[in-house]
Amino acid sequence: MSKNSEFVKFDNVDKSYDGKILVVKGLKLDIAEGEFVTMLGPSGSGKTTCLMMLAGFETPTHGEIYLDGNAISNIPPHKRGIGMVFQNYALFPHMTVYENLAFPLRVRKIPKDEADKKIDKALSMVALQGFEARMPMQLSGGQQQRVAVARSLVFDPQVVLMDEPLGALDKNLRESMQYEIKHIHESIGVTVVYVTHDQTEALTMSNRIAVFNDGKVQQLSSPDELYERPVNSFVAGFIGENNIFDGIVSDISGDTCKVKLNNGTEILANPISVKAKGEKTTVSLRPERALINPKDKMDNNHKGKIEEVIYHGDHTRVRINLLGNDQFILKIPNSTSNLDIKLGNDINVGWNSKDSRALDPK
Amino acid sequence: MSTEQILSSDGIPLEVSLKKAERRNKIRAVLLVAPLFLFILIIYVFPIGEMLFRSIDDRKISGMLPKTFTAMEKWDAKDLPKEPVYAALYEDLSYLKENKTYGQIIARLNYEKSGFSSLIKKTVRKLNKFEQGNYKEQFIEVHKRWGQMEFMGALKNTAPAWSYAKYLKGVDLKFNQEREIVQVPEDRRIHKILWMRTINVAFWVTIFCFVLAYPIAHLLATLPMKYSNLLMICVLLPFWTSLLVRTSSWMVLLQQQGPINDLIVLLGFAANDNRPELMYNVIGTFVAMTQILLPFMVLPLYSVMKTISPSLMRAGKSLGGTPLISFYKIYFPLTVPGIGAGCLLVFILSIGYYITPALVGGASGSLISNTIAYHMKSSLDWAFASALGAMLLVGVLTIYWIYNKLVGIDNIKLG
């Protein structure tokens, strides 16, 4: 059976709450069957609104959403068959774990013995067998969260939506839950649409990530693609750490360009969104792509002054004043090679021009 | 090993040092609570207790006719009493006449049986003409009622220092001459009607308040702040207006030539010369009390609904529950503590409501509280008024107890 690559489809969707501001602008997004897609973005970027439109709690102002080829804008939420995990879990506090899980099965009039099997299967999936008779208040945050996940899956929905489900958990629990949810997704192959503002979470869990800003999808691609090859300066700045240089394109030829910085120095960069000489640009460079005193020949090589050294255990973070940017960050892996990293020292920093991406100006 | 005493580092048992450490806080707490406690004791517990005490206190008359009642102890009340009772009565009445205090027993005896007033007055007037011995005949000569079992029996019935006769009266029962509990004559059975009407009104007012308040409270809890604040002011506005003013404005609205009647006539529901009576009957009581007690239902409901996360209803819908099922299975059960608190509050308030039924209730809309007020202010039968008050209190406590059994008082939320 071939998988539908447009299982969930946002077709030119606009959404406005007050008739003045568009929260979502002309959204186009296709999600394949069985895919784990994360909507990532700062708060107010429209990602939760998209999720709510998909769930049916908000109606698009314009455009249409399709689920498995069918337009769903006029279908009420309870008929969409979409499971949902809420930020605060939204477990029914007056029902036991069993009753919480039985709710979606009861409203579908599934016979009791069949329902019991489904509930048992769902609870075993989240390793919570034996907790059937507990009330939600008697469970820890992580357990409540797992019940919420089990409840959203127990009625075999086509799509499961998760709205920052790990937001309320502490760091360690959050990390182990990320893997748990990822494994559940892999084992049952349900389509998951996940919303978060935590980029680590998004990078860890997703097949593809849609980075939202200002009501638009800035980039939709796999985690590595997103990190290695951001298409604009927002994505570059939002995902991971990022060193930037503002300047003007002074020369462009093929896959390299020269960018003249504000202090007059020229650097070589990879032209991504610049086309012609004279354009303003922001050059983005990942900290781990720049090396100190590189042995191999690199086409960018500049001197900088160490401003700050912070020990991080597995790596050392060095802040350098380089080419007029005093926020230039380097990450030096903790290895036996001793570099002379002392506050105030002048050092050589080198990087390849293909790693410094000339993007749209900020 | 659990019995082994744990010592703190300086060798004093841990429990002792803990108590010592906590003592200051405890004293401070007691001192903080003390003024309020005394205040409640002095202005609430003591007067109410004193009032309730009156309802069973019948010592006054037994103190004024001590010899008579002592003599009556041997009397079986089957036939007219013998000479010693009359002799004792003569002594008691002579003493009362000397001190000019016989007026006080007249009122009490007249409650017991009407006719005592003239009987005592006439007897006292002629008391100085009495001769030594054979008092029975002389008493009967002065007034034939002294020779009637009804009066002598009634007199004996007033003898006990403590009496629950007022409570019997409150449910239209009384003692007959043989001290058996019987119903009062049919044309005087008014209290049962009043009790039933009071409970009926309280019940329906509670239902009306609930039906009106639930959607309002839901709106309050779910609307955006901007609108919910405005709505909240509308709900609270009646609180800031005098109860009397509110009730009077209902009188303006409900009167036969008032705007509501005008509207009814205008819409053709009634002819102009046959305007319905909306006031001075039970309809007026219902309408005005529902409006006045509505906030007491809205506020507990609101405070509970405010705590229910809107995502619960969304979760219910996303899991496949229709809005109706989601409401019935998820939202409604979670509001039960608020419903309980609101209903209990409104019911208890309306069961003892006074001003509104007094003003708009008329004869057919007056409640037990109006009767209490009548006996406090007009008939001055404070004992009966406090007996009715005590019965009301017991009624309220019973409701509270039933509620606790059914729902559990821990489940109540007043905000």
Side-chain angles (χ1 to χ4, degrees), chain A residues 84-358:
Chain A
M84 185 149 183
V85 182
F86 293 82
Q87 192 166 12
N88 48 10
Y89 321 136
L91 296 179
F92 307 136
H94 59 299
M95 297 184 188
T96 62
V97 169
Y98 175 87
E99 287 165 336
N100 263 285
L101 264 70
F103 181 84
L105 303 174
R106 262 184 211 152
V107 297
R108 287 178 172 75
K109 305 208 162 49
I110 290 172
K112 194 181 177 309
D113 48 342
E114 198 189 329
D116 282 351
K117 269 182 215 148
K118 280 176 185 282
I119 291 168
D120 198 52
K121 194 177 136 207
L123 281 178
S124 71
M125 208 147 58
V126 294
L128 275 179
Q129 281 152 308
F131 284 73
E132 285 89 346
R134 300 272 192 99
M135 300 304 278
M137 287 297 285
Q138 297 171 299
L139 302 175
S140 71
Q143 288 168 335
Q144 289 187 32
Q145 214 282 329
R146 302 214 298 259
V147 174
V149 171
R151 189 180 65 178
S152 72
L153 293 168
V154 72
F155 59 102
D156 303 321
Q158 299 168 291
V159 181
V160 174
L161 312 181
M162 300 193 183
D163 184 11
E164 308 210 15
L166 306 180
L169 301 180
D170 62 60
K171 189 168 171 290
N172 286 337
L173 200 54
R174 198 157 63 219
E175 277 168 12
S176 72
M177 280 306 299
Q178 286 170 12
Y179 296 121
E180 208 166 311
I181 290 175
K182 192 176 159 74
H183 293 152
I184 289 171
H185 166 250
E186 280 161 6
S187 67
I188 62 174
V190 67
T191 309
V192 178
V193 183
Y194 193 99
V195 162
T196 185
H197 62 262
D198 181 339
Q199 43 160 309
T200 332
E201 209 165 285
L203 293 173
T204 318
M205 301 172 79
S206 326
N207 298 127
R208 283 195 300 160
I209 298 170
V211 179
F212 272 71
N213 190 40
D214 200 20
K216 278 183 178 160
V217 176
Q218 304 289 334
Q219 186 171 359
L220 171 67
S221 47
S222 61
D224 54 335
E225 178 87 15
L226 201 63
Y227 185 81
E228 310 284 350
R229 286 182 285 282
V231 295
N232 62 33
S233 52
F234 173 80
V235 177
F238 190 72
I239 310 281
E241 264 191 303
N242 190 33
N243 292 311
I244 54 170
F245 295 104
D246 290 326
I248 294 164
V249 179
S250 57
D251 191 17
I252 185 161
S253 61
D255 57 353
T256 49
C257 65
K258 273 186 185 162
V259 176
K260 190 172 185 186
L261 303 184
N262 296 337
N263 70 347
T265 327
E266 279 191 335
I267 59 171
L268 292 171
N270 184 2
I272 303 296
S273 42
V274 289
K275 300 276 182 300
K277 238 168 97 168
E279 275 185 64
K280 277 190 167 183
T281 184
T282 296
V283 179
S284 149
L285 175 69
R286 294 287 179 206
E288 64 273 15
R289 292 301 164 106
L291 300 178
I292 289 179
N293 299 332
K295 290 188 189 98
D296 305 324
K297 179 80 185 110
M298 286 176 151
D299 49 8
N300 280 302
N301 218 320
H302 302 278
K303 237 178 184 36
K305 191 179 173 202
I306 298 178
E307 299 270 341
E308 195 178 11
V309 179
I310 300 167
Y311 181 69
H312 268 268
D314 59 342
H315 72 271
T316 304
R317 235 174 112 89
V318 183
R319 185 161 67 82
I320 299 165
N321 189 346
L322 187 75
L323 306 174
N325 175 6
D326 66 350
Q327 299 294 327
F328 192 93
I329 303 292
L330 273 178
K331 284 181 182 171
I332 301 163
N334 190 352
S335 65
T336 46
S337 70
N338 289 322
L339 291 164
D340 190 23
I341 298 168
K342 294 242 168 57
L343 216 57
N345 279 7
D346 281 339
I347 49 165
N348 271 324
V349 179
W351 69 89
N352 284 322
S353 60
K354 73 169 173 44
D355 292 329
S356 53
R357 298 165 70 80

Side-chain angles (χ1 to χ4, degrees), chain B residues 205 209 288-298 346 349-350 353:
Chain B
V205 166
C209 278
M289 278 177 71
T290 302
Q291 191 265 333
I292 286 161
L293 292 172
L294 195 59
F296 293 99
M297 185 68 91
V298 172
V346 169
L349 282 174
S350 51
Y353 226 62

Side-chain angles (χ1 to χ4, degrees), chain A residues 78 92 103 107, chain B residues 312-333:
Chain A
H78 62 273
F92 307 136
F103 181 84
V107 297
Chain B
L312 286 180
M313 276 297 275
R314 287 184 162 181
K317 285 179 201 160
S318 82
L319 291 170
T322 60
L324 205 65
I325 288 179
S326 302
F327 171 80
Y328 178 68
K329 291 274 186 191
I330 299 161
Y331 197 79
F332 186 76

Side-chain angles (χ1 to χ4, degrees), chain B residues 367-396:
Chain B
L367 305 179
I368 202 73
S369 53
N370 305 106
T371 311
I372 296 179
Y374 167 77
H375 286 294
M376 291 290 293
K377 295 193 300 187
S378 305
S379 82
L380 298 183
D381 190 354
W382 285 18
F384 185 44
S386 31
L388 288 178
M391 290 163 84
L392 207 51
L393 181 64
V394 169
V396 167

Side-chain angles (χ1 to χ4, degrees), chain B residues 117-393:
Chain B
S117 180
S118 56
L119 175 59
I120 299 284
K121 278 178 189 159
K122 190 174 179 189
T123 311
V124 168
R125 226 171 22 246
K126 295 195 173 171
L127 216 52
N128 45 5
K129 291 180 186 158
F130 274 50
E131 287 163 20
Q132 196 80 16
N134 216 1
Y135 287 107
K136 183 173 177 178
E137 269 176 34
Q138 293 185 63
F139 265 106
I140 294 169
E141 208 168 289
V142 168
H143 206 305
K144 62 174 190 291
R145 285 177 185 163
W146 288 118
Q148 288 170 358
M149 268 306 292
E150 296 157 44
F151 283 88
M152 292 313 284
L155 186 60
K156 187 180 165 75
N157 281 347
T158 63
W162 310 103
S163 154
Y164 55 94
K166 297 293 179 190
Y167 288 88
L168 292 180
K169 191 177 168 188
V171 285
D172 295 336
L173 297 172
K174 65 165 188 179
F175 289 118
N176 65 4
Q177 298 136 310
E178 286 82 34
R179 253 195 112 65
E180 288 159 346
I181 294 169
V182 292
Q183 289 208 313
V184 298
E186 209 165 323
D187 55 328
R188 307 194 63 176
R189 286 175 205 164
I190 52 162
H191 296 113
K192 260 189 200 159
I193 297 172
L194 277 175
W195 282 115
M196 289 320 289
R197 186 190 293 154
T198 305
I199 290 170
N200 197 32
V201 165
F203 177 77
W204 284 108
V205 166
T206 309
I207 298 285
F208 293 149
C209 278
F210 170 68
V211 169
L212 290 174
Y214 203 88
I216 298 174
H218 179 72
L219 265 183
L220 269 176
T222 48
L223 274 183
M225 196 65 117
K226 189 165 61 165
Y227 304 107
S228 73
N229 276 348
L230 195 70
L231 191 59
M232 191 56 145
I233 288 171
C234 293
V235 169
L236 289 179
L237 205 61
F239 269 148
W240 305 336
T241 322
S242 154
L243 179 61
L244 210 57
V245 172
R246 275 184 284 158
T247 309
S248 314
S249 58
W250 273 115
M251 294 170 75
V252 173
L253 287 173
L254 292 174
Q255 59 185 303
Q256 267 195 315
Q257 300 303 322
I260 292 181
N261 250 318
D262 287 345
L263 193 69
I264 290 173
V265 169
L266 196 71
L267 294 175
F269 291 116
N272 195 20
D273 51 357
N274 187 26
R275 289 174 168 235
E277 291 222 24
L278 300 175
M279 203 170 50
Y280 302 128
N281 56 22
V282 89
I283 299 174
T285 310
F286 274 138
V287 172
M289 278 177 71
T290 302
Q291 191 265 333
I292 286 161
L293 292 172
L294 195 59
F296 293 99
M297 185 68 91
V298 172
L299 293 178
L301 279 175
Y302 165 73
S303 77
V304 168
M305 287 176 178
K306 196 79 190 157
T307 63
I308 300 173
S309 160
S311 65
L312 286 180
M313 276 297 275
R314 287 184 162 181
K317 285 179 201 160
S318 82
L319 291 170
T322 60
L324 205 65
I325 288 179
S326 302
F327 171 80
Y328 178 68
K329 291 274 186 191
I330 299 161
Y331 197 79
F332 186 76
L334 291 172
T335 58
V336 163
I339 297 173
C343 288
L344 207 58
L345 199 60
V346 169
F347 190 86
I348 288 172
L349 282 174
S350 51
I351 212 170
Y353 226 62
Y354 167 63
I355 296 179
T356 306
L359 289 178
V360 298
S364 69
S366 81
L367 305 179
I368 202 73
S369 53
N370 305 106
T371 311
I372 296 179
Y374 167 77
H375 286 294
M376 291 290 293
K377 295 193 300 187
S378 305
S379 82
L380 298 183
D381 190 354
W382 285 18
F384 185 44
S386 31
L388 288 178
M391 290 163 84
L392 207 51
L393 181 64

